[in-house]
Amino acid sequence: MFCGDYVQGTIFPAPNFNPIMDAQMLGGALQGFYCDKDMLINILTQRCNAQRLMIAEAYQSMYGRDLIGDLKEQLSDHFKDVMVGLMYPPPLYDAHELWHAMKGVGTDENCLIEILASRTNGELFQMREAYCLQYSNNLQEDIYSETSGHFRDTLMNLVQGTREEGYADPAMAAQDAMVLWEACQQKTGEHKTMLQMILCNKSYQQLWLVFQEFQNISGQDMVDAINECYDGYFQELLVAIVLCVRDKPAYFAYRLYSAIHDFGFHNKTVIRIIIARSEIDLLTIRKRYKERYGKSLFHDIRNFASGHYEKALLAICAGDAEDY
């Protein structure tokens, strides 16, 4: 598969959308004696993000209350995280996840890797803006203070969102591949810098060619070479970039599988990927998951999650009958 191939999300704009009616229904569900969680799921998972923002506006003018505030007040645990997460515009959701990854005790490096290795230039630009507006902080400065070494250098390069787009130069590809090969042999600081400069700044189309050339020169797959030569978060970040270049939905399928099976259902990761990719490529991610791991994502969520939390995740995944 090439990264330009067609991908599809699971959530689309609802037809015959009426934000005022939706806001009324949500008001009834949230402000009654009993919180109608099924109603919340039926409305919020079946509207696209732009529609949810319009519902929040209608809710505010109708009740003089903040919908996110009411969701936070009425709901709890992972179900709350899903429903509140759906209400953020995508750049703010990314910013929110990065802020919490860095601001708690310790840093959640896996969250930084997953978001920064996979987002496009445009998404990175909007994320930086949202981060600054929401937290009055500079995203680059926070990353700089929370990380170190070549891992930090690579993140700092990625977050600038200056990757070339749509450009490929076959003549350059062999040269770049040689630099990567040398970087895997020599492993000096200078070589690590050259390695991350190529992986962070060349277009996906160019890197596709570079990885083929690398295989020709070294007889080795790029990911295997990185795993052999480097370790720690630097190595994990480089591998994430390579996997995203090759097949982004497959990368997220791998992240989900690992979060579910290797980390005993790491809720934060599962929620983040399912929400963040719902309108981009979640349907394709589900296909890759099934192809790669034999079981459907639907099946694995049902096995590990429960209650309204499970219902909400499955509703966003928009499962088909054969997924049960």
Side-chain angles (χ1 to χ4, degrees), residues 7 39 116 159 178 294 323:
V7 294
M39 174 73 75
L116 296 175
V159 76
M178 276 306 291
D323 279 336

Side-chain angles (χ1 to χ4, degrees), residues 29 34-45 79 83 307-308 311:
Y34 159 76
C35 177
D36 186 347
K37 294 173 182 170
D38 289 313
M39 174 73 75
L40 299 181
I41 294 171
N42 291 343
I43 293 176
L44 295 180
T45 67
F79 179 56
M83 302 318 283
H308 286 95
K311 268 189 183 173

Side-chain angles (χ1 to χ4, degrees), residues 64-285:
R65 297 172 67 92
D66 174 47
L67 179 53
I68 289 183
D70 282 357
L71 288 168
K72 283 180 175 174
E73 203 176 292
Q74 291 289 338
L75 308 177
S76 60
D77 302 328
H78 303 308
F79 179 56
K80 174 177 81 175
D81 297 337
V82 175
M83 302 318 283
V84 170
L86 287 171
M87 296 308 303
Y88 292 119
L92 181 54
Y93 186 60
D94 279 346
H96 170 272
E97 291 296 294
L98 290 171
W99 170 263
H100 287 282
M102 293 188 282
K103 286 303 153 196
V105 178
T107 302
D108 180 356
E109 286 85 0
N110 286 316
C111 172
L112 301 184
I113 290 171
E114 177 202 298
I115 291 178
L116 296 175
S118 66
R119 300 310 192 248
T120 64
N121 289 350
E123 288 165 345
L124 289 160
F125 174 76
Q126 290 185 304
M127 179 199 308
R128 291 198 311 271
E129 301 267 290
Y131 192 93
C132 187
L133 282 169
Q134 184 71 18
Y135 302 109
S136 307
N137 271 38
N138 179 299
L139 178 56
Q140 284 104 311
E141 284 172 17
D142 283 355
I143 290 170
Y144 191 86
S145 67
E146 294 297 321
T147 55
S148 62
H150 288 281
F151 176 56
R152 171 167 72 190
D153 297 343
T154 312
L155 290 174
M156 293 295 286
N157 197 339
L158 286 170
V159 76
Q160 288 167 29
T162 51
R163 184 182 293 287
E164 292 169 357
E165 289 181 334
Y167 173 75
D169 177 353
M172 239 350 249
Q175 212 172 315
D176 288 339
M178 276 306 291
V179 173
L180 293 183
W181 189 67
E182 278 173 25
C184 286
Q185 307 305 307
Q186 314 273 349
K187 295 187 261 194
T188 66
E190 194 185 336
H191 281 94
K192 285 180 184 174
T193 301
M194 280 155 44
L195 175 64
Q196 64 96 352
M197 291 292 282
I198 290 173
L199 291 181
C200 295
N201 296 311
K202 300 283 181 175
S203 72
Y204 272 27
Q205 289 83 346
Q206 179 70 8
L207 288 173
W208 187 259
L209 297 176
V210 171
F211 299 157
Q212 286 177 312
E213 286 290 346
F214 184 90
Q215 177 94 39
N216 297 340
I217 293 165
S218 67
Q220 205 176 16
D221 179 72
M222 191 74 237
V223 171
D224 294 339
I226 292 168
N227 285 336
E228 228 172 75
C229 302
Y230 295 106
D231 56 17
Y233 291 120
F234 179 59
Q235 167 249 324
E236 287 182 35
L237 177 55
L238 297 180
V239 167
I241 297 168
V242 175
L243 294 178
C244 285
V245 170
R246 284 191 172 153
D247 185 344
K248 206 172 277 184
Y251 168 70
F252 284 113
Y254 153 71
R255 283 284 295 151
L256 281 167
Y257 187 84
S258 159
I260 292 169
H261 293 275
D262 301 340
F263 295 97
F265 209 85
H266 192 267
N267 295 285
K268 269 193 162 73
T269 304
V270 174
I271 293 168
R272 179 174 59 246
I273 294 173
I274 285 176
I275 290 178
R277 308 310 295 183
S278 59
E279 291 183 42
I280 302 172
D281 53 6
L282 185 54
L283 190 66
T284 314
I285 291 166

